């Protein structure tokens, strides 16, 4: 019983109690604590659309990384990016980032213990010693700043206590899954705690490269974190933390959806490929942070968060998925960031304030070859004395410095009424260096030794783009809200919030085709209006939360890439779009009995481009929002079966649905039709709670569904797919 009721943080409240009878012995939902407004509050007191997924919910849903959370939050897309294993594509309410190229900014902010993760590379975070995950929907520009224009996802790790603990957990499953986690903490001195966790995630591939026999869609990840927490005094708390992740999973090439140049047929399995590129892929990310909380008085707290992070990626992407260098892209990325945030929080009798200053400085750099091989019409593959093929090299870096100040004030100006006022001013400065050049042959000097050993590097023909430039932007993002506590069980609210995503420079820009690329592109902005209700009804048996929203999305950064006559490709990032997004979100948890809990979530998004300029023409009537199905839904039961021994068995069947999804703004054969996934878990908890065993099945109907792809016209149409049916036996022991 206890485990089933604890599971309710999964869906922060939606609808439906269909046919429920309330004659059972006082079942009730537990209170959920979140930090969506950078202070601890009850979920039901926060006038924000937020889903909180607690530790039990993460376990019983078999959540292994951030993408598994997609089904649990309405109007949310969290998926592995095309051609990668750990790069994140995140969209909330139609706003996000499709293109993971360095220098571009995400539209959904990812946070680990309030430390911002600036780049999508390595952001498909595995669940390791996590207390809960919070998904904040809608712009969070006041409290969380730029690049949270769609929302934010927050990882909250566990704080240590005086009790020593060690936990060993693992999993054995389909495709030779072999996971192992070890976590623990202990008090090494009076009030000083040392803890950490290490994990290895291993799995064979869902498919293979039929040319080389190497794996596709496998997993080979090692991750670890360590933390030191101590209280020098009753009023001071300090945490030092560091983490490191190394991903050596195989390169992920796409499934070619159309015949090749010479009529090569499509393969039988969507997880297979036939790439000629080397089998070598590496992503390393890590960082360190120091958090200090000082309770100056009963009403005033000062907090400092200092952090440094860095990452490196080396990856090959085969756009054509053929055994020839027609469109091969070897690439590397590297980035680093240093952040500092100071908070001053005050709480009074009828008011409270969260305020702060935030500083960010970072560098994102990289390079890639677009090896176009025999696509160069001037090449002569029959004459080995002449250079064969064309390679276009793209390289560059962007340095970013950002400084912002914010304040969020709540005033209980009358009984049961609360007014919230907030604002943040951000100043962004960027310095970019961008190069793009043509090379005769296959692989430029940067990549030739690794990808084409023993062969001469391509010969430099000339630069298409070669410039250095800088720009700066200032943006004020306000917030205004009012909420009213109708009674002890129901609160209604209305808010206006603004957000913006920083401008920048297109690292792929071709100045020979579009000279204005050297000027960069401007920020995009959104203004969102939201009406919501949060309620705990029938003596806390039904949690029903709902929100209706409208977003005015302006100056959208639109990426356009196309081949150009005579060989090569051109890219442009333009502030060419304006859209309206409106919709509904409903979440509910119903304690039907002491042992049976039902969860339901529903998201509806009505999206429309009001303007989309392409080639000087408004083609908005031919475009639609990408990665944003108009309907997302999830229904789940959580049944706890107590045993005479004091042990407990929890069953957790889940059905999730996503409507038709357009992969890019322009309709194409990549688009995915609506699909439904069926998941199921059964978890056994021992009487003492020191060990548990679970059988977890995902995609039990073995549904085939596409989550990403590339579309450069035939034969360069390749798709990437979600996981097939998998079953895993997981277990843990704590002592």
């Amino acid at each position: 019983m206890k485990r089933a009721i604890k599971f309710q943080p999964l869906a922060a409240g939606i609808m439906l109690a269909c046919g429920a009878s309330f004659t059972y012995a006082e079942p009730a939902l537990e209170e959920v604590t979140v930090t969506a407004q950078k202070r601890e509050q009850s979920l039901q007191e926060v006038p924000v659309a937020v889903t909180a997924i607690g530790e039990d919910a993460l376990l019983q849903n078999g959540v292994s990384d951030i993408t598994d959370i997609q089904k649990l939050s309405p109007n949310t897309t969290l998926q592995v990016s095309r051609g990668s294993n750990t790069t994140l594509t995140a969209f909330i309410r139609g706003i996000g980032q499709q293109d993971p190229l360095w220098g571009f900014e995400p539209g959904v902010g990812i946070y680990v213990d309030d430390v911002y993760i600036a780049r999508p590379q390595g952001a498909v975070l595995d669940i390791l010693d996590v207390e809960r995950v919070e998904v904040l929907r809608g712009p969070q520009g006041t409290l969380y700043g730029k690049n949270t224009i769609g929302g934010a996802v927050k990882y909250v790790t566990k704080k240590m206590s005086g009790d020593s603990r060690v936990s060993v957990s693992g999993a054995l499953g389909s495709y030779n899954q072999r996971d192992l986690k070890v976590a623990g903490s202990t008090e090494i001195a009076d009030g000083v705690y040392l803890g950490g966790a290490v994990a290895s995630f291993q799995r064979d591939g869902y498919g293979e490269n039929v040319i080389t026999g190497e794996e596709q869609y496998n997993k080979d990840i090692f991750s670890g974190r360590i933390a030191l927490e101590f209280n020098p005094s009753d009023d001071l708390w300090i945490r030092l933390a560091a983490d490191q992740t190394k991903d050596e999973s195989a390169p992920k090439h796409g499934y070619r959806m159309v015949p090749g140049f010479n009529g090569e047929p499509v393969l039988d399995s969507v997880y297979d490929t036939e790439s000629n590129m080397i089998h070598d892929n590496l992503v390393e990310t890590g960082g360190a942070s120091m958090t200090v909380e000082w309770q100056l008085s009963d009403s005033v707290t000062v907090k400092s968060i200092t952090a440094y992070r860095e990452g490196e990626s080396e990856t090959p992407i085969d756009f054509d998925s053929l055994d020839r260098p027609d469109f091969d892209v070897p690439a590397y990325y590297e980035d680093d960031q240093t952040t500092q945030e100071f908070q001053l929080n005050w709480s009074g009798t009828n008011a409270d304030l969260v305020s702060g200053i935030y500083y960010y400085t970072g560098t994102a750099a990289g390079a890639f070859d677009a090896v176009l091989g025999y696509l160069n019409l001037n090449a002569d593959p029959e004459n080995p004395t002449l250079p064969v093929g064309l390679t276009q090299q793209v390289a560059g870096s962007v340095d970013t410095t950002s400084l912002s100040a914010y304040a969020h004030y709540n005033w209980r100006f009358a009984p049961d009424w609360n007014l919230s006022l907030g604002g943040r001013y951000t100043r962004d400065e960027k310095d970019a260096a961008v190069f793009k050049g043509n090379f005769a042959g296959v692989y430029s000097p940067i990549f030739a030794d690794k990808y084409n050993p023993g062969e001469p590097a391509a010969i430099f023909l000339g630069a298409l783009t070669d410039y250095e430039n800088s720009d700066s932007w200032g943006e004020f993002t306000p917030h205004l809200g009012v909420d009213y506590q109708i009674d002890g069980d129901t609160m209604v609210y209305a808010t206006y919030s603004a957000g913006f995503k920083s401008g920048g420079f297109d690292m792929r820009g071709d100045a020979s085709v579009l000279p204005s690329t050297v000027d960069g592109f401007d920020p995009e902005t959104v203004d969102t209006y939201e009406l919501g209700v949060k309620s705990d009804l029938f003596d806390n048996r039904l949690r029903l939360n709902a929100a209706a929203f409208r977003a005015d999305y302006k100056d959208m950064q639109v990426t356009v890439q196309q081949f150009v006559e005579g060989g090569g490709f051109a890219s442009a990032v333009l502030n060419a779009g304006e859209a309206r997004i409106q919709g509904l979100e409903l979440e509910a948890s119903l304690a039907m009995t002491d042992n049976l809990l039902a969860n339901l979530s529903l998201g509806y998004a009505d999206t429309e481009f009001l303007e989309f300029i392409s080639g000087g023409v408004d083609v908005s009537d031919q475009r639609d929002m990408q990665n944003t199905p108009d309907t997302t839904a999830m229904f789940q039961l959580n049944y706890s079966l107590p045993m005479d021994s004091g042990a407990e068995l929890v069953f957790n069947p889940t059905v999730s649905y996503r409507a038709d999804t357009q992969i890019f703004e322009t309709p194409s054969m990549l688009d995915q039709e609506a699909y439904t996934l069926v998941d199921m878990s059964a978890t056994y908890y021992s009487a003492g709670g020191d060990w548990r065993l679970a059988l977890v099945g995902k995609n039990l109907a073995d549904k085939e569904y596409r989550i990403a792809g590339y579309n450069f016209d035939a034969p360069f149409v390749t798709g990437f797919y979600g996981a097939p049916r998998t079953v895993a036996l997981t277990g843990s022991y704590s002592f």
Side-chain angles (χ1 to χ4, degrees), residues 17 97 104 148-149 162 198 250 305 327 332 353 468 501-502 563 586 640 657 695:
Q97 178 199 26
F104 290 177
T148 56
I149 188 170
V198 294
I305 305 171
F327 200 175
Y332 80 83
L353 173 71
E468 294 183 8
K501 185 165 73 173
S502 181
F563 286 110
L586 300 167
S640 172
Y657 169 81
L695 186 64

Side-chain angles (χ1 to χ4, degrees), residues 144-187:
Y144 292 91
K146 66 169 186 171
N147 305 338
T148 56
I149 188 170
V153 180
K154 296 182 59 177
Y155 278 66
V156 181
T157 62
K158 300 175 183 177
K159 283 189 175 182
M160 289 179 267
S161 65
D163 299 326
S164 296
R165 67 176 181 92
V166 175
S167 174
V168 180
S169 60
L172 296 174
S174 304
Y175 300 94
N176 198 25
Q177 178 185 353
R178 311 170 310 282
D179 296 342
L180 179 64
K181 304 180 189 179
V182 179
S185 65
T186 188
E187 188 173 17

Side-chain angles (χ1 to χ4, degrees), residues 577-598:
E578 182 177 342
R580 184 219 66 216
I581 308 168
Q582 57 191 14
L584 299 170
E585 292 164 353
L586 300 167
E587 296 181 288
S589 295
L590 172 65
M592 302 175 72
T593 72
D594 271 358
N595 303 94
L596 181 61
L597 180 73

Side-chain angles (χ1 to χ4, degrees), residues 128 222-225 242-246 284-287 309-310:
L128 182 59
F222 181 83
S223 182
R225 65 184 304 271
D243 66 271
Q244 185 73 30
T245 297
K246 185 176 184 180
E284 292 184 287
T285 60
R309 297 199 64 81
E310 62 181 12

Side-chain angles (χ1 to χ4, degrees), residues 595-613:
N595 303 94
L596 181 61
L597 180 73
N599 291 290
L600 178 69
S601 71
L602 178 65
Y604 172 73
D606 173 27
T607 64
E608 179 184 2
F609 274 108
L610 305 179
E611 182 180 78
F612 194 110
I613 304 300

